[in-house]
Amino acid sequence: MNDYKVTIGIEVHAQLKTTTKLFCGCPTSFGEAPNTNVCPICLGLPGVLPSLNKKAVELAIRAALALNCEIHKKSIFARKNYFYPDLPKGYQITQYKSPLATSGKILVEGKEVRIKRVHLEEESAKLIHEKDKSLIDYNRAGIPLIEIVTEPDIDSPEMALAYLKKLQKILEFTQVSDAIMAKGELRCEPNVSVSKEEGKLGTRTEIKNLNSFRAVGRALRSEVKRQIEILERGGIVEQATIHYSEKTGKTRIGRAKEEASDYRYFPEPDLPPLVLEEEWIEEIRKSLEELPEERMERYKNLGVSEEEAKIISGSKKASKLFEETLRILNEPLEISRWLIREYRNFQEPDISAENLANIIKMVLSGKLSRINGSLVFKLMVETGKSPIEIVEERNLIQISDPEALKKVIEEVFKEQPKEFERFKKGEKKLLGFFVGEVMKKTKGRADPKEVSRILSEYEKN
Ligand SMILES: [Zn+2]
């Protein structure tokens, strides 16, 4: 079975994060009572005029830019005609021949996945099938979607999952979509073919509406297996729409695949072509936040380790705090160390960059020991007080004065005479022991470096 080459392309529908629908002012809020977020436009009553939601266009442009697409200054809405109860007007408004954006690409696990197109379209209504009847909820009808279509550049179910996860992150980071699969905000339809012949693609089938990562992985694996089994038996894979059953974990053939001509596409007469100003596109480009991967590269260039850079850039909150603290204090390695060792341990609490910078400054200048730095961090999270207040209240200022430290060291020697004798005779490992004792006695306030330095003088004598 291993000599088959798998070829996968993916269509994703992502719900844009707007407060109103694509062509009317109805709210997009989730979980409302059925048929309450509706009006004559999204119900598809005769004689109504759609008007385009500018925010949806902006979000679609953001997505297309983040996917490195070419944005077309002019795109055209089309009617995709088909009859189905979830589409009372008998057509869906989408973009067909002339989409918003084309020719993008993203890297997935080091391999390039080309993005064929990104276009705007409206969602259809939701059908609810009960025992002896079917009900329709129009709340979702007209919700803005973007469709993102890849070229067949994906070569395994695993890579398909990696692509989807990356896409989800991009949509989330650019605030284009919350992209929560369980809420139906991100759905995907992969197409897949297998072939043994070098350079020749097999017949592809399209798996309908998958809405969890688990379903995508299982459906693709099952479909690849089904196709290979057919070919091994000497059969022919039919071009078809495939349904996946979560119950059985298997794919099965649905209806034969429609051709584009079946939909009788034609330009939407009620909407003018969508014409975009270059300035607006540039404005959106400038407002785009850096994606996690680019961010990670930048952190690595600052000297942060790959592992730490990955963790920090992967969290929007942590990376924001990193950047803000860096603006106050140019110590990237220290800041990343505090974020990894302290901040994340407290489940990313709300703290200000200024407060974090102040703790780090006190530690670097020797005013606060690292141990007490951790304590101050904890108290800051728990009490909401500033690090400076905490240090003063608790008298945590580090003792670096050699005379003061010598006094403590001699007390410790008196308490531990046997160890002191052994230490003096050259038992080096006792140095760490005595540093620990001094730290205990000073409740973490002693400067451990200075303590070590003084201790080693005793050792020499
Ligand atoms: Zn409406």
Side-chain angles (χ1 to χ4, degrees), residues 163-387:
Y163 164 76
L164 287 174
K165 284 180 184 163
K166 174 136 194 199
L167 183 64
Q168 188 185 43
K169 208 97 235 159
I170 290 174
L171 295 174
E172 223 183 299
F173 244 82
T174 49
Q175 290 180 301
V176 165
S177 171
D178 289 330
I180 300 168
M181 288 191 110
K183 278 190 177 175
E185 292 168 345
L186 193 75
R187 302 189 303 265
C188 88
E189 299 189 345
N191 57 69
V192 54
S193 68
V194 301
S195 170
K196 236 178 184 174
E197 284 173 67
E198 195 57 46
K200 199 177 166 225
L201 293 180
T203 307
R204 58 176 222 177
T205 57
E206 186 181 307
I207 311 173
K208 295 308 280 184
N209 260 328
L210 300 173
N211 46 21
S212 73
F213 286 131
R214 190 177 110 107
V216 172
R218 291 178 78 189
L220 279 171
R221 279 190 287 271
S222 163
E223 180 56 14
V224 166
K225 188 163 166 262
R226 192 188 70 86
Q227 291 189 13
I228 292 175
E229 279 168 3
I230 292 173
L231 296 176
E232 285 292 292
R233 282 200 308 268
I236 293 167
V237 174
E238 266 182 85
Q239 185 170 341
T241 299
I242 297 290
H243 297 281
Y244 163 75
S245 156
E246 188 70 52
K247 248 188 218 154
T248 61
K250 285 193 177 139
T251 48
R252 62 176 173 78
I253 284 213
R255 63 199 152 134
K257 171 90 180 101
E258 307 87 347
E259 292 298 324
S261 58
D262 296 340
Y263 290 122
R264 292 186 299 113
Y265 281 100
F266 61 82
E268 164 62 58
D270 292 338
L271 284 166
L274 173 57
V275 177
L276 304 173
E277 302 271 339
E278 180 65 38
E279 273 172 30
W280 193 39
I281 299 174
E282 278 317 301
E283 212 177 283
I284 297 171
R285 194 191 300 275
K286 276 186 207 131
S287 77
L288 266 189
E289 270 190 57
E290 204 177 13
L291 295 170
E293 233 160 88
E294 297 161 7
R295 218 176 267 232
M296 181 175 114
E297 285 305 314
R298 203 157 47 79
Y299 295 174
K300 273 162 64 185
N301 289 338
L302 293 171
V304 178
S305 76
E306 171 147 11
E307 200 190 337
E308 292 191 354
K310 194 171 180 183
I311 296 170
I312 296 169
S313 62
S315 154
K316 211 168 169 174
K317 224 176 145 184
S319 57
K320 186 166 174 251
L321 185 58
F322 179 80
E323 312 258 335
E324 285 175 2
T325 313
L326 196 61
R327 253 175 261 146
I328 303 170
L329 184 69
N330 188 21
E331 292 284 351
L333 300 190
E334 274 296 321
I335 298 167
S336 99
R337 173 188 179 143
W338 282 83
L339 289 179
I340 300 287
R341 296 194 191 168
E342 308 288 340
Y343 182 68
R344 281 186 356 121
N345 280 340
F346 289 93
Q347 273 75 48
E348 308 199 336
D350 292 314
I351 58 166
S352 72
E354 196 191 351
N355 280 345
L356 178 59
N358 277 338
I359 296 183
I360 299 174
K361 274 184 207 163
M362 285 191 276
V363 168
L364 291 180
S365 66
K367 248 180 116 179
L368 193 60
S369 68
R370 279 203 183 271
I371 295 173
N372 279 338
S374 294
L375 176 67
V376 170
F377 189 94
K378 179 172 172 269
L379 292 170
M380 174 177 77
V381 172
E382 285 171 3
T383 63
K385 287 181 182 169
S386 81

Side-chain angles (χ1 to χ4, degrees), residues 21 23-27 37-44 138-139 141-142:
K21 292 186 180 178
F23 299 116
C24 64
C26 290
N37 288 350
V38 293
C39 74
I41 297 176
C42 53
L43 283 172
Y138 289 104
N139 283 354

Side-chain angles (χ1 to χ4, degrees), residues 437-456:
E437 290 298 303
V438 172
M439 295 309 286
K440 252 191 244 166
K441 219 176 179 59
T442 56
K443 297 198 171 68
R445 288 176 61 210
D447 176 353
K449 264 191 215 148
E450 189 60 15
V451 174
S452 293
R453 193 190 62 76
I454 299 169
L455 279 169
S456 56

